[in-house]
Amino acid sequence: MDEKQQLVKDTLNLVKASGGTGVLRTKLMATVRKLDGSRLTPEEEDEIWCMIVGRNWITWHMEPIFHNKRWTLTEAGLLALEAM
């Protein structure tokens, strides 16, 4: 597994850990780290984000009070995570 695959897997695991509540994109991407422990560059964040959203591995719902988008894992995302 190369580093990009590991980053996608880590990101999906973090979304899965948030459960039905979901997670904010900014908080999620700030938590994901490279294998050496450094933060992702904005380009790397966008690449990972576009991959998991584009493949419908995560979806969002609106918070009722603060109106923030919270992201949760889809069934397709869970299957992809299990396959990794």
Side-chain angles (χ1 to χ4, degrees), residues 27 40 46 50:
K27 302 288 185 184
L40 300 176
D46 287 341
C50 289

Side-chain angles (χ1 to χ4, degrees), residues 25 29 39-49:
R25 177 186 174 173
M29 297 315 288
R39 291 198 58 177
L40 300 176
T41 65
E43 293 81 18
E44 291 169 327
E45 285 182 13
D46 287 341
E47 184 178 5
I48 299 298
W49 188 257

